[in-house]
Amino acid sequence: NFVNPHDIAGTKGIVKTQMDEIENKKVQFRMANEFYMRDHPEIQKLVTVFLFKVLDEKPKDILSYAGKFFDNPKLKEIVELENEHYTGDLKQKKSNH
């Protein structure tokens, strides 16, 4: 059992006020991350293309594959082109159903 060394009352674990503070920090981090993601839609494109390429190519060494993918000097062009390809395919599949 964890004993909080900063709690002079000797309460085991985290006290309610500390837990509330942690939960508030989590919400603040999530909100900040959400705002950042909204300000940078290219992150969604980048992750989408990377995941689709991994699933298409199924590399044995994903870490090496990721390194090569993200180190590519033409990454911006690749993401723009491939994002259109992959998201266009998804839009077409949705409209066919």
Side-chain angles (χ1 to χ4, degrees), residues 31-91:
M31 287 175 58
N33 290 341
E34 179 68 25
F35 288 134
Y36 185 82
M37 293 288 286
R38 287 181 185 184
D39 287 343
H40 298 280
E42 67 275 15
I43 295 171
Q44 182 67 39
K45 290 179 183 179
L46 182 68
V47 171
T48 298
V49 169
F50 176 71
L51 287 175
F52 272 112
K53 289 189 78 59
V54 165
L55 293 172
D56 280 350
E57 298 178 22
K58 296 177 179 47
K60 293 202 184 291
D61 185 350
I62 295 175
L63 289 178
S64 292
Y65 181 87
K68 291 174 188 171
F69 178 83
F70 289 107
D71 281 344
N72 191 322
K74 295 183 179 182
L75 183 60
K76 183 176 180 179
E77 293 86 14
I78 291 169
V79 168
E80 290 299 324
L81 180 67
E82 296 287 347
N83 184 62
E84 184 61 35
H85 169 75
Y86 289 121
T87 58
D89 286 352
L90 289 175
K91 290 175 190 172

